[in-house]
Amino acid sequence: MKDLTIYSQAVISLLSCVEERYPSVNVRPTYSFNLTGVAAGKCTTQFSLFGQLTHCHLEFNAKAIAADKAFFENETLPHEVAHFVIASLYGRSKAIRPHGPEWKRICIELGGSGARTHNLALKRSKQYRQWLYIDSNGHRHMLSTIRHRRVQSGTVYKARSSKATIEAKGFLEEVIQDAE
């Protein structure tokens, strides 16, 4: 999804609305559309030593936008901006829950439903890399990336079951698996 201009405009428009409704909000968040995985959006905040908001970054999932454009504008965007407003108004207060009544009220005021989660069909982006080795007895073993690097730098492991050695010369291939 290359052209995200109209969604950038939606973000800017909602942030302008926030400035009008909440004049005490004095931080303008940055935003991007590079979030991956199953989350539709994310609000990352930084606070001063005194618990006041100093920086906020909103991230949105371009795949979620492509899956349902209306959902982005009507749910995801107000949801994440509401987190920003809560952080601006209440700082790092332990009394304010991330999806508590204050957040829900603001989310609804900004045009969202106040729902905590979505049901978009997004896949996890996390993948696990494993490394296939064959030991000195011909048995196959999957090693983690850490163990693979150690073996490649000279460490020799012994297989528990057969007591055979696993060495760098036994490397067969890299195996990439999607996270469950």
Side-chain angles (χ1 to χ4, degrees), residues 17-138:
C17 177
V18 165
E19 289 174 354
E20 292 173 15
R21 288 185 184 192
Y22 304 98
S24 62
V25 172
N26 57 4
V27 173
R28 182 88 178 199
T30 57
Y31 63 91
S32 64
F33 297 95
N34 55 10
L35 186 63
T36 60
V38 296
K42 179 180 175 182
C43 177
T44 306
T45 53
Q46 293 176 350
F47 296 93
S48 70
L49 291 173
F50 305 106
Q52 294 170 326
L53 183 68
T54 58
H55 179 71
C56 178
H57 183 72
L58 304 172
E59 262 185 296
F60 300 104
N61 188 329
K63 288 184 180 177
I65 295 170
D68 191 342
K69 295 173 177 114
F71 186 84
F72 168 76
E73 290 183 356
N74 299 324
E75 292 297 329
T76 305
L77 183 55
H79 180 113
E80 300 309 329
V81 172
H83 283 302
F84 157 66
V85 172
I86 286 293
S88 295
L89 296 178
Y90 298 102
R92 195 186 304 151
S93 171
K94 296 202 185 282
I96 306 299
R97 296 188 332 258
H99 295 106
E102 299 86 357
W103 170 85
K104 188 172 185 173
R105 178 183 54 79
I106 290 171
C107 185
I108 291 170
E109 284 178 14
L110 296 175
S113 68
R116 294 179 56 186
T117 59
H118 66 79
N119 58 1
L120 298 173
L122 300 175
K123 292 183 180 179
R124 292 190 183 275
S125 63
K126 183 88 171 154
Q127 294 181 326
Y128 293 106
R129 296 169 63 183
Q130 292 186 313
W131 309 86
L132 181 61
Y133 280 81
I134 190 162
D135 68 21
S136 57
N137 287 345

